[in-house]
Amino acid sequence: MDSLAAAPGTGPATSPIPVLRPSRVRKSFADLPTDRALVMGILNVTPDSFSDGGKFATADEAIAEGLRMHYAGADIVDVGGESTRPNADRITVDEEQQRIIPVVEALVKAGALVSVDTMHAATAARAIDAGAAIVNDVSGLDFDPDMPGLIAESGVHYVLMHQRGNPQTMDSLANYDDVVEDVISELTDIRDKFYAAGVTPEQIILDPGIGFAKKEDHNWALLRALDRFDVLGHRILVGASRKRFLGTLLSVAGKAAAPAERGDASVAVSALAAAHGAWCVRVHDVGPSLDAVKVAAAWTR
């Protein structure tokens, strides 16, 4: 166990989560490895996550899980407080902030490099003040108009993901002439609006938006074409972990595999994405994916 925390349930600790002490070294973006793809651990502080069913819905549970990811080797811990699964209920910005800001603060204190998964500039601003170094925004074409200015002013890194519509409408908008070319074109349009607000190319990370306004064949086409995104000149993040198209792939007797049964397939995607140039993979299972990207780096070195 890292010296930053006492093991849960031992010594003087009475809380079910580790007792945080200030980190001797706070990880920064500049400290991230450059010899392999990075691993971003997914931390959903929500009661309605598609992948874990609200397993980490309280601050204590979420902090403990974030620390486990950090100590397991996650390069980045991505903290989100609003479910973006299809047809998910929307929550208020105040509720989102109440869920995630204490978690961001605690993980930053423990030395983790934290990303905030939010569509709201107000929440992003609070998280940046709490120490978050990355804003991971899944809103796509319908981004918060205050977001570009915030990213430009703060200087943090920004994950710009492709998305059409919102969780209630995105499935109905999954219509493309050529999904790869259409996604590249739409990402370019959004990126240029951030440029116009003063955001630099170095701040932007692109995500093709696997599973967001995409049908199964669209997801596979985008994964096979990761190298085509190089034309945009940005680092690429791939978030395919436990998503529906993997459940369909692993169907047995016509029944899709449950999210918890998609882990091995998710790790396989991590290895392949890393081998094909992904800068980072966003995953639920940190340890196996870290092994996978290390194998990919050795394979392609």
Side-chain angles (χ1 to χ4, degrees):
M1 175 67 70
D2 189 285
S3 62
L4 301 178
T10 63
T14 57
S15 170
I17 64 169
V19 177
L20 300 177
R21 294 191 291 273
S23 171
R24 287 180 301 228
V25 179
R26 177 175 165 184
K27 188 187 291 186
S28 72
F29 199 91
D31 297 325
L32 292 171
T34 58
D35 59 345
R36 59 166 174 81
L38 303 177
V39 173
M40 174 186 282
I42 301 169
L43 184 56
N44 296 314
V45 193
T46 64
D48 56 347
S49 167
F50 88 92
S51 62
D52 58 47
K55 189 175 179 181
F56 312 115
T58 70
D60 282 4
E61 292 164 341
I63 292 167
E65 177 62 13
L67 288 174
R68 281 191 287 269
M69 290 181 180
H70 177 51
Y71 299 140
D75 300 297
I76 305 162
V77 179
D78 190 42
V79 182
E82 181 175 16
S83 176
T84 54
R85 61 178 173 78
N87 300 310
D89 293 331
R90 302 302 299 269
I91 62 172
T92 67
V93 172
D94 285 345
E95 185 175 0
E96 179 187 38
Q97 293 176 13
Q98 289 169 10
R99 290 178 179 181
I100 68 172
I101 298 304
V103 180
V104 172
E105 291 173 340
L107 296 180
V108 169
K109 181 180 179 182
L113 185 68
V114 174
S115 168
V116 58
D117 177 2
T118 183
M119 296 180 281
H120 307 292
T123 299
R126 285 282 309 279
I128 292 167
D129 287 344
I134 303 168
V135 174
N136 180 21
D137 183 359
V138 305
S139 58
L141 296 169
D142 295 327
F143 62 85
D144 185 327
D146 292 331
M147 191 69 84
L150 171 68
I151 302 304
E153 182 180 354
S154 66
V156 299
H157 290 80
Y158 178 74
V159 180
L160 190 167
M161 194 193 80
H162 180 270
Q163 157 80 300
R164 290 175 174 175
N166 54 47
Q168 289 73 37
T169 63
M170 63 182 179
D171 283 351
S172 66
L173 300 174
N175 301 297
Y176 301 91
D177 294 325
D178 178 322
V179 67
V180 177
E181 287 302 318
D182 290 350
V183 168
I184 288 174
S185 176
E186 291 173 15
L187 281 174
T188 302
D189 288 345
I190 306 169
R191 179 201 64 182
D192 289 349
K193 293 174 182 176
F194 277 76
Y195 279 178
V199 177
T200 67
E202 294 75 23
Q203 287 177 264
I204 292 178
I205 300 157
L206 296 181
D207 180 343
I210 302 299
F212 287 82
K214 313 290 190 306
K215 297 176 182 176
E216 292 162 23
D217 57 334
H218 298 146
N219 294 319
W220 292 116
L222 289 166
L223 289 171
R224 286 193 293 266
L226 286 181
D227 58 338
R228 289 172 62 183
F229 287 84
D230 290 344
V231 68
L232 296 175
H234 299 283
R235 292 161 291 200
I236 303 299
L237 182 147
V238 173
S241 184
R242 300 187 187 177
K243 289 191 173 174
R244 282 185 299 175
F245 76 110
L246 295 177
T248 301
L249 175 71
L250 304 176
S251 294
V252 175
K255 182 178 180 181
E261 298 169 344
R262 304 170 192 170
D264 291 344
S266 299
V267 172
V269 173
S270 291
L272 290 166
H276 286 82
W279 170 78
C280 183
V281 292
R282 182 176 180 272
V283 302
H284 297 87
D285 302 304
V286 167
S289 284
L290 184 58
D291 291 346
V293 300
K294 288 179 177 178
V295 168
W299 191 293
T300 58
R301 186 169 297 135

